[in-house]
Amino acid sequence: MPAAAIEQLPLVRLSDGGCAATLEIPKESACELVTEDALVGLVRERGVLIDRAVDAAIRALATRHASRVASSSADGETGPTIGIVARSVAALDGTAAFIEWNAPFAPDAGETDDDTHGNIDQYNRIKRTKIAAGDVLGILHPPGDGEDGHDVCGRILAARRGNKLLLQPTGSVQVEADGSIRALKDGVLSLARLKIAVLDSFEVVGAVDFSTGNIDFVGSVKVGDGVRDNFTLKATGDVHIRGLVEAADLIVGGDCVCERGVAARGIGHLLVDGSMKAAYLNGVRGRVRANVELDREMVGCELVVGGDLRVMRGSIVGGMLVVGGAVYADSIGTEGGAKTVLRLGSCPLELAKAAKIAELTKRLCKEIVPIESRQDEITFRGAKASAAEKESLTELAYEIAQARRRLRLLAQERTELLRIAGELRTVHVEIAKAIHAGTTFLVGAREARFTTTVKGPISISWDDCRNLQFRLSSGGVRELSEIASVREVAA
């Protein structure tokens, strides 16, 4: 009998270490033991935390049990009424720290293989994200603390704090109080070695080829090998290339060194804002703003050189060169009479910029005309002009004043460029061995063509009146027309 009596008592079972509380109400339990309040008290005595949800679940189960007992004569059910009345609240772990990247700097935005048609551009397969000092790269969100949970008895289930960010900022970026990650210098974004960095120097261990793709870098670049055909290397700083540069494009914001030379074959281009040093140049097109110094020959190039051109141990053969400074070489041309043309006595880069300013000035003057006409029209109407038209006079006057100010600044800049070009104009050629037939010098509106080979050492320059003259090692200064055909040509 005692065992039978125990079986008729309502039971509270805790399962899964307190994750759930189950209430069992035997059908034959005494009525006073299965009232709503009695069952709530039983669950509380078992240690279960009673809140509104638990209280409602217990009372609902008591109502279901009472309904079953009332209908037991009809359905013949004898089993207990069972239901889960309480469940644990799981801990909510904190979120891991993360960076909300601004769209232009998102790492996944810089890596793409496919274009809109699904074709792969192998030359631009690898992207590098350019950064300017002050750019906000993204927002660093710290790890979340999470929310603690509890079991059915109210015991705390501790939440785990989110993981820290694996990427750590370096001295080239700054994390501000609001989490903003701000670049402190110009460069390219790097996430290598779990570091957030802005790099202003970049080193390619091997060659610039399909393994690297084209390089477009903010800063200086060093290349351990060469630059292969059809690739582009662009850098805002200095570039140092230890291997051979093939028919590639180099765009350099600083100085450029090509230890083994450039074999462009008439296809590659060179744009250097500083000076250029190389073993040799072959078939190169482009310009160098400062000096060019070569160890060996210069063959078949179409190049504008803003400063001096110096070929230490070789010849200048073929092509068309525009040189703003002096020219030094062992020889010019070949015994076979290769056509070699050098334009001297000008500052090509300064004059080209002055010409662009002149074109811009003309365009601005044309843009001012309709604005001034509109101003004159409204002014002429006087009192008949509408309020809106009178109000627009202020805006028109401002636009005209700004345009006039810009024109003055452009005129000053052009005047200064022309002054500098006039002061720097020079003709100075030093040839150690020979100037071969087929060589032509262009100086202003004059052409000096060599029809026979002249042995060196020979120096060519102009006097105060800008008459072309030469000096051999064995004699004094003489007119260049004695050894070359000098004539006036159309400008």
Side-chain angles (χ1 to χ4, degrees):
M1 288 297 295
I6 292 174
E7 290 176 356
Q8 308 306 312
L9 297 175
L11 296 176
V12 178
R13 302 182 188 276
L14 303 183
S15 60
D16 298 330
C19 289
T22 303
L23 179 58
E24 298 182 8
I25 308 174
K27 193 172 184 181
E28 294 79 10
S29 295
C31 294
E32 63 272 15
L33 298 178
V34 296
T35 64
E36 294 181 1
D37 291 338
L39 292 174
V40 169
L42 176 64
V43 174
R44 180 180 288 110
E45 289 174 4
R46 187 66 175 82
V48 176
L49 179 66
I50 304 296
D51 57 19
R52 289 184 179 181
V54 174
D55 183 83
I58 296 171
R59 296 183 185 279
L61 189 64
T63 300
R64 183 155 64 89
H65 173 72
S67 177
R68 288 188 61 211
V69 170
S71 60
S72 61
S73 56
D75 55 29
E77 292 185 10
T78 59
T81 304
I82 302 174
I84 296 176
V85 295
R87 295 184 183 274
S88 63
V89 176
L92 181 62
D93 292 338
T95 56
F98 68 98
I99 296 175
E100 183 183 354
W101 295 99
N102 288 339
F105 311 117
D108 56 354
E111 298 288 344
T112 178
D113 287 345
D114 301 337
D115 62 18
T116 56
H117 301 290
N119 299 319
I120 297 177
D121 182 357
Q122 296 289 355
Y123 292 93
N124 294 297
R125 181 170 53 86
I126 299 173
K127 303 295 183 181
R128 296 170 182 87
T129 306
K130 295 181 182 179
I131 305 295
D135 281 348
V136 176
L137 310 183
I139 304 296
L140 174 59
H141 294 273
D145 293 329
E147 296 181 10
D148 292 339
H150 60 81
D151 66 9
V152 295
C153 297
R155 293 185 290 266
I156 297 298
L157 301 176
R160 290 183 297 181
R161 182 175 173 79
N163 294 328
K164 293 182 179 180
L165 187 72
L166 293 178
L167 293 170
Q168 294 300 313
T170 65
S172 58
V173 299
Q174 176 177 293
V175 180
E176 300 179 349
D178 62 354
S180 299
I181 304 173
R182 190 178 299 277
L184 298 180
K185 62 181 180 180
D186 296 346
V188 170
L189 178 64
S190 170
L191 302 180
R193 299 181 180 87
L194 300 180
K195 300 290 185 182
I196 307 172
V198 177
L199 304 180
D200 57 5
S201 64
F202 179 55
E203 184 164 358
V204 179
V205 177
V208 176
D209 53 20
F210 290 113
S211 66
T212 64
N214 291 332
I215 292 178
D216 187 351
F217 193 79
V218 180
S220 60
V221 175
K222 291 183 179 180
V223 181
D225 196 349
V227 182
R228 302 294 180 245
D229 283 347
N230 301 317
F231 282 90
T232 298
L233 193 163
K234 182 178 181 181
T236 60
D238 298 339
V239 170
H240 191 120
I241 303 169
R242 295 187 176 91
L244 177 66
V245 178
E246 300 176 9
D249 293 335
L250 299 184
I251 304 171
V252 183
D255 296 335
C256 182
V257 176
C258 300
E259 291 187 5
R260 290 188 57 194
V262 182
R265 307 194 306 277
I267 302 172
H269 294 82
L270 186 69
L271 297 175
V272 179
D273 283 342
S275 61
M276 173 81 187
K277 289 186 178 182
Y280 69 91
L281 297 180
N282 187 313
V284 175
R285 299 178 179 180
R287 61 130 176 94
V288 178
R289 190 170 295 278
N291 300 328
V292 173
E293 182 177 312
L294 306 178
D295 185 49
R296 302 195 297 275
E297 71 272 8
M298 185 176 194
V299 179
C301 296
E302 296 180 9
L303 199 64
V304 176
V305 180
D308 295 344
L309 171 60
R310 187 182 298 269
V311 184
M312 307 298 291
R313 298 181 296 141
S315 302
I316 300 172
V317 178
M320 172 67 188
L321 305 176
V322 180
V323 183
V327 177
Y328 304 88
D330 269 0
S331 62
I332 300 181
T334 65
E335 293 180 358
K339 184 179 179 180
T340 307
V341 180
L342 281 77
R343 177 170 287 281
L344 308 170
S346 67
C347 295
L349 300 177
E350 287 78 6
L351 294 177
K353 188 173 181 180
K356 289 182 180 179
I357 291 175
E359 289 297 321
L360 179 58
T361 299
K362 289 180 182 179
R363 190 161 63 248
L364 284 175
C365 288
K366 290 180 180 179
E367 292 175 359
I368 292 175
V369 171
I371 301 175
E372 290 180 329
S373 297
R374 179 60 176 162
Q375 183 188 47
D376 293 341
E377 179 185 349
I378 297 173
T379 303
F380 179 76
R381 295 181 63 186
K384 295 181 180 180
S386 66
E389 289 176 329
K390 292 178 180 178
E391 187 176 347
S392 69
L393 282 174
T394 302
E395 183 177 345
L396 292 172
Y398 176 78
E399 289 183 23
I400 294 171
Q402 288 294 98
R404 292 291 183 192
R405 177 177 177 275
R406 190 178 180 192
L407 285 172
R408 286 195 301 272
L409 293 175
L410 288 173
Q412 292 173 5
E413 184 178 0
R414 183 171 182 271
T415 300
E416 181 65 13
L417 285 170
L418 294 176
R419 183 190 66 78
I420 293 172
E423 292 179 355
L424 296 180
R425 288 182 65 187
T426 183
V427 173
H428 186 83
V429 180
E430 296 280 352
I431 304 301
K433 295 181 179 179
I435 299 177
H436 292 283
T439 299
T440 300
F441 292 151
L442 300 176
V443 182
R446 282 169 292 177
E447 174 189 86
R449 184 186 301 273
F450 288 80
T451 57
T452 60
T453 297
V454 179
K455 298 295 184 180
I458 180 174
S459 172
I460 298 174
S461 61
W462 59 12
D463 60 18
D464 293 340
C465 297
R466 296 191 173 177
N467 297 312
L468 294 175
Q469 55 191 12
F470 75 99
R471 179 198 296 269
L472 295 173
S473 59
S474 59
V477 177
R478 296 151 61 185
E479 293 295 322
L480 185 63
S481 58
E482 295 181 21
I483 58 173
S485 173
V486 179
R487 66 188 183 93
E488 297 289 326
V489 295

